[in-house]
């Protein structure tokens, strides 16, 4: 089985908390002949108050702690910051070899947009086990199946905005696994940021060679990156890349804000 085509990112009840005394609150009506004695208001014992200077220190400390409490509350409500999101995303993509099926290299967004069958803004929502391509010849020579086979995972990309082509509401993106044992790590580090996906229709790619081939039918509706450069991740004020950042094209892209890269992609796709 040739592998040139297969490289890709290929309750319990609550107890009574009172101290044994049960209070029944009357909300109107006849109390009968029982007389309820008024409660006696006890004088406040001011001798037990903290000294003035101690109270002043405590108040000052509480005021000084407000900004920190607000920061913690904001962080809790707003979720992880961009740095944490990128670390998670980097862990995910570092487990994979994002090669792209055609093994192409581009020097601009325009070139990459022209080569892509589908371009969409989306985010990965799940990853599951994909297909296995066995090399029976290698197995016959004694090579263990796990080493002889090529394993894939299927990532579901939820489409937020189609830019080129007709991807529908979701995309099945195949990811090449160096070993099937990393699937759990991928699922544990699922990236949450959106990105611009430049993709190749794998079924169509092989149908160009033989429209009735088993491979073209197996891969119908499956997509792959057009190249290692085919994913631009959204980290707000800049773009995150998954390929070699020494690539001059990607260096330029990584210096841009995501909104600027998205505008460039839309312009290039419309030309």
């Amino acid at each position: 089985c040739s592998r040139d085509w297969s490289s890709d990112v290929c309750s319990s009840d609550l107890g009574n908390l009172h101290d044994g005394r049960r209070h029944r609150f009357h909300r109107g009506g006849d109390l009968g002949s029982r007389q309820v004695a008024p409660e006696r208001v006890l004088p406040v014992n001011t001798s037990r108050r903290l000294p003035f200077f101690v109270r002043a220190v405590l108040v000052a400390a509480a005021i000084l702690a407000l900004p920190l409490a607000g920061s913690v509350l904001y962080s809790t409500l707003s979720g992880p910051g961009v740095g944490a999101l990128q670390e998670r995303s980097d862990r995910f993509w570092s487990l994979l070899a994002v090669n792209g099926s055609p093994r192409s290299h581009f020097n601009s967004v325009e070139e990459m947009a022209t080569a892509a069958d589908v371009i969409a803004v989306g985010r990965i929502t799940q990853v599951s086990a994909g297909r296995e391509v066995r090399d029976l010849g290698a197995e016959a020579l004694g090579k263990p199946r796990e080493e002889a086979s090529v394993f894939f995972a299927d990532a579901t990309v939820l489409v937020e905005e189609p830019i080129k082509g007709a991807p529908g509401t979701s995309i099945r993106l195949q990811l090449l696994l160096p070993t099937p044992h990393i699937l759990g790590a991928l699922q544990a580090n699922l990236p949450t940021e959106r990105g611009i996906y430049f993709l190749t229709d794998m079924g169509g790619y092989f149908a160009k060679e033989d429209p009735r081939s088993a491979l073209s039918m197996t891969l119908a509706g499956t997509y792959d990156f057009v190249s290692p450069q085919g994913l631009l991740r959204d980290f707000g004020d800049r773009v995150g890349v998954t390929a070699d950042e020494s690539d001059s094209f990607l260096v330029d892209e990584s210096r841009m804000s995501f909104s600027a890269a998205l505008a460039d992609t839309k312009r290039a796709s419309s030309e």
Side-chain angles (χ1 to χ4, degrees):
C1 171
S2 173
R3 300 206 183 162
D4 292 337
W5 59 266
S6 64
S7 59
D8 59 86
V9 246
C10 254
S11 41
S12 61
D13 292 334
L14 292 175
N16 193 327
L17 299 182
H18 296 289
D19 57 357
R21 295 171 296 175
R22 297 183 178 271
H23 304 278
R24 187 178 301 278
F25 294 92
H26 180 68
R27 297 188 178 182
D30 187 10
L31 289 175
S33 60
R34 296 180 58 188
Q35 299 295 321
V36 180
E39 292 186 1
R40 186 177 59 176
V41 179
L42 298 177
V44 178
N45 186 354
T46 58
S47 63
R48 294 186 179 181
R49 288 184 178 179
L50 293 173
F52 172 79
F53 76 94
V54 174
R55 284 182 283 140
V57 170
L58 292 175
V59 170
I63 293 174
L64 291 175
L66 283 176
L68 177 60
S71 176
V72 171
L73 178 61
Y74 175 81
S75 298
T76 302
L77 295 177
S78 62
V82 171
L85 292 178
Q86 183 171 357
E87 288 179 8
R88 181 186 182 93
S89 181
D90 286 346
R91 283 195 298 269
F92 179 90
W93 293 109
S94 67
L95 294 168
L96 301 164
V98 187
N99 293 322
S101 293
R103 297 176 181 267
S104 300
H105 183 275
F106 304 102
N107 296 309
S108 66
V109 169
E110 290 78 10
E111 290 183 8
M112 194 157 63
T114 299
D117 297 316
V118 162
I119 304 174
V121 178
R123 66 184 76 227
I124 294 177
T125 58
Q126 66 178 21
V127 175
S128 57
R131 61 196 178 92
E132 173 190 358
V133 179
R134 296 181 63 180
D135 188 340
L136 298 178
E139 290 182 40
L141 295 174
K143 194 170 185 178
R145 176 175 174 177
E146 185 175 311
E147 296 179 15
S149 296
V150 178
F151 296 90
F152 295 89
D154 289 334
T156 300
V157 180
L158 181 65
V159 176
E160 297 183 0
E161 182 181 359
I163 299 174
K164 180 182 179 181
T169 58
S170 64
I171 294 170
R172 185 171 69 190
L173 175 66
Q174 68 172 15
L175 305 172
L176 177 64
L177 305 180
T179 167
H181 302 298
I182 70 167
L183 182 61
L186 290 174
Q187 294 168 333
N189 291 283
L190 208 64
T192 59
E193 79 284 350
R194 64 177 182 163
I196 307 173
Y197 290 77
F198 296 78
L199 305 173
T200 295
D201 178 351
M202 293 304 296
Y205 178 76
F206 288 104
K208 293 176 184 177
E209 300 177 2
D210 184 356
R212 291 180 291 184
S213 69
L215 192 55
S216 64
M217 290 185 285
T218 298
L219 294 175
T222 302
Y223 291 84
D224 191 7
F225 290 105
V226 295
S227 83
Q229 304 157 304
L231 174 60
L232 304 178
R233 298 175 292 164
D234 181 7
F235 295 127
D237 60 347
R238 66 181 186 82
V239 169
V241 299
T242 56
D244 185 359
E245 295 191 14
S246 64
D247 185 312
S248 59
F249 161 50
L250 294 181
V251 168
D252 292 339
E253 290 297 317
S254 64
R255 291 172 178 168
M256 301 175 66
S257 67
F258 184 80
S259 59
L262 179 57
D264 278 356
T265 301
K266 291 179 177 179
R267 174 185 53 76
S269 302
S270 63
E271 293 178 350

